Amino acid sequence: MSIPFIDLKAQYQHLKADIDARIHAVLDHGQYIMGPEVAELERELAAYVGVKHCVGVADGTTALLIALMALGIQAGDEVITTPFTFIATGEMIALLGATPVFVDIDPDSYNLDPARIEAAITPKTRAIMPVSLYGQCADFDAINAIAAKYHLPVIEDGAQSFGARYKGRKSGALSTIGCTSFFPSKPLGCYGDGGACFTDDDALAKAMREIRVHGQDRRYHHPVIGLNGRLDTLQAAVLLAKLPSFPAEVAARERIGARYSELLKDVARVPRLADGCSSVHAQYTIEVDRRDAVAATLKELGVPTAVHYPIPLHLQPAFAALGQGVGSFPVAEAAGQRVMSLPMHPFLDEPTQDAVVAAVKKALA
C-alpha cells in the first residue's frame, strides 16, 4: 500500500480540459507578465472572499512582505505574531528590520491566543499578524477588538485557510489585510508559486499594487521602494481553471476532515473547531504520544505523514538573538512535539481513508 499525502494528479485529471485550455490561451496571447488573466483572477477572488480588492502576488511569503510594507512597517517596529507557524510569518517581519514579538497559542485551535496579546503590546508595536493555521481562522473578533483599542492594523496570514469561514465571513476578509498562498499543496493551489493580498482599503490596495511592481505607479516612475512581487499570468490561468470547482473541493475537505475526526476521536486528539468556524484542512493534523515512533510505523505501513511544525520560531537558530529559549512558549513547544498531519485532499476516497485510519490505530496500539 502506498498512499499519496496530497493527490494533485487526481485533481488535474478531473480538471484537465479546463486547465489545458487556460494555459494554452496564455501561450497563444503571449502576455506572460501581468497578462489579462491576472486582473480577471483578482476580480474573481475578491468576489469570492467578499472584499473590494485582491492583489495577486508572487507567493504567500511575498504577500506578507507587501502587506507589511504597505502598512509602513520598518526597522525598530514590533509586530505581534505566533511562534507556531512556518518561518515565513516571522521571517518577513525580520526582513524589514522589525522585531517579531511572539505570543503563545490557544491549545485548541493552535492559533494565536487573544488572551495573551494585550500583555505583549508596547509603544513600538505597529501591527498584529495572526496565522489561520491548518485551515481554521484565528479568533478575529477578539483580535480585532484588541487591535482597535490600540489603533493597530491586523494582517491575516491565511496561507492555509483560503476558503474557510469565520462567523459567516471568509478568510481574507477578516482584517485590515488578508494574505494567502497558492502554493500547489494549498487548498487552492497553482502549479508553481502564487499568492494574494485582500483588503477593503482603497489606499492600501493602491500601495500594494505599486509595491509589487517595484514601487511603480506608472511606467518608470517610482514613488516608493518596492520589489518584483508579481503573480505570473500562467499561474493565474491555472487558478482561474480551478476556481469554479473550489467550493465543491472545500465541501469535500470539510466532509473528509469530519469523517477523520469521527473515526479517530477515541485514539488521538483530533482538530477542534470553534463555534461559527469551518476548516479547509490544508493539513489534517492530530496529536499523539510518541509522535516520531508513530510516524515511523505509519511510513512502514505505506502511510505518509508530516509535521507542521516541529520547531517553533523562537527556537529556530535564525531567531536566537531574541533570547527566547525552551519554556518561553510552552503551548507551542508542546504542540511541536505531538502534532502529526495525515493524508488530506478533496479526492481522498473512503476506502483509502479507512486504510489510513486502520494504520493509525495499529501504530498507536
Side-chain angles (χ1 to χ4, degrees):
M1 181 177 65
S2 181
I3 294 171
F5 191 71
I6 297 169
D7 195 347
L8 295 178
K9 291 181 180 179
Q11 184 193 51
Y12 174 61
Q13 291 303 318
H14 183 67
L15 301 172
K16 186 178 188 304
D18 292 336
I19 291 171
D20 289 355
R22 280 286 191 175
I23 289 174
H24 281 286
V26 177
L27 297 177
D28 287 338
H29 68 56
Q31 297 178 55
Y32 300 113
I33 303 297
M34 300 302 287
E37 285 82 0
V38 175
E40 182 184 355
L41 177 68
E42 289 174 338
R43 290 191 297 271
E44 294 284 340
L45 291 178
Y48 176 82
V49 170
V51 295
K52 289 173 65 176
H53 304 284
C54 169
V55 181
V57 299
D59 50 65
T61 303
T62 301
L64 297 175
L65 182 62
I66 289 174
L68 290 162
M69 291 172 71
L71 291 168
I73 305 301
Q74 56 190 350
D77 292 343
E78 295 178 353
V79 178
I80 292 172
T81 192
T82 167
F84 195 60
T85 179
F86 183 59
I87 195 168
T89 311
E91 184 181 37
M92 292 302 98
I93 297 167
L95 192 67
L96 291 174
T99 300
V101 175
F102 298 125
V103 168
D104 214 347
I105 59 172
D106 169 70
D108 287 341
S109 69
Y110 304 104
N111 289 326
L112 194 64
D113 187 345
R116 301 174 185 265
I117 292 175
E118 200 160 2
I121 294 174
T122 77
K124 293 183 178 181
T125 306
R126 295 290 178 269
I128 304 172
M129 192 153 75
V131 176
S132 295
L133 200 69
Y134 299 152
Q136 178 178 196
C137 296
D139 188 354
F140 278 92
D141 283 357
I143 293 168
N144 288 336
I146 296 166
K149 180 179 176 181
Y150 291 91
H151 308 289
L152 297 170
V154 177
I155 302 169
E156 179 188 14
D157 181 343
Q160 299 179 11
S161 58
F162 190 76
R165 300 182 303 280
Y166 174 87
K167 300 181 180 179
R169 295 167 288 157
K170 286 198 175 78
S171 176
L174 305 172
S175 58
T176 315
I177 301 173
C179 300
T180 200
S181 167
F182 302 125
F183 187 79
S185 63
K186 296 295 193 271
L188 179 63
C190 53
Y191 289 163
D193 280 312
C197 300
F198 301 92
T199 188
D200 281 321
D201 187 301
D202 295 344
L204 285 175
K206 180 176 184 295
M208 291 190 291
R209 291 186 190 284
E210 293 174 1
I211 290 167
R212 75 171 170 181
V213 287
H214 300 284
Q216 178 175 276
D217 64 350
R218 58 186 186 276
R219 192 166 177 81
Y220 298 132
H221 186 261
H222 307 266
V224 298
I225 296 295
L227 49 88
N228 180 2
R230 303 168 303 211
L231 176 66
D232 287 343
T233 307
L234 279 167
Q235 303 303 341
V238 171
L239 292 166
L240 282 166
K242 288 188 174 189
L243 197 54
S245 63
F246 183 61
E249 291 192 7
V250 168
R253 286 177 172 276
E254 293 180 15
R255 183 183 70 252
I256 293 164
R259 189 169 186 269
Y260 257 142
S261 294
E262 181 62 29
L263 295 172
L264 290 171
K265 65 182 181 182
D266 294 330
V267 296
R269 179 173 169 179
V270 298
R272 303 177 184 182
L273 297 185
D275 290 343
C277 291
S278 70
S279 176
V280 287
H281 296 295
Q283 289 86 28
Y284 181 84
T285 303
I286 61 175
E287 276 192 41
V288 296
D289 296 328
R290 305 179 296 106
R291 190 264 317 282
D292 294 344
V294 172
T297 301
L298 287 171
K299 183 178 181 180
E300 293 174 0
L301 295 172
V303 176
T305 61
V307 178
H308 308 92
Y309 297 93
I311 305 174
L313 298 193
H314 66 288
L315 299 180
Q316 294 288 350
F319 290 115
L322 296 178
Q324 295 167 326
V326 173
S328 298
F329 304 102
V331 183
E333 292 167 25
Q337 297 293 317
R338 293 175 50 82
V339 295
M340 181 175 70
S341 299
L342 302 177
M344 165 57 81
H345 55 85
F347 298 91
L348 185 65
D349 59 35
E350 290 192 0
T352 305
Q353 190 177 24
D354 289 341
V356 173
V357 169
V360 171
K361 290 181 175 180
K362 184 176 181 179
L364 289 172

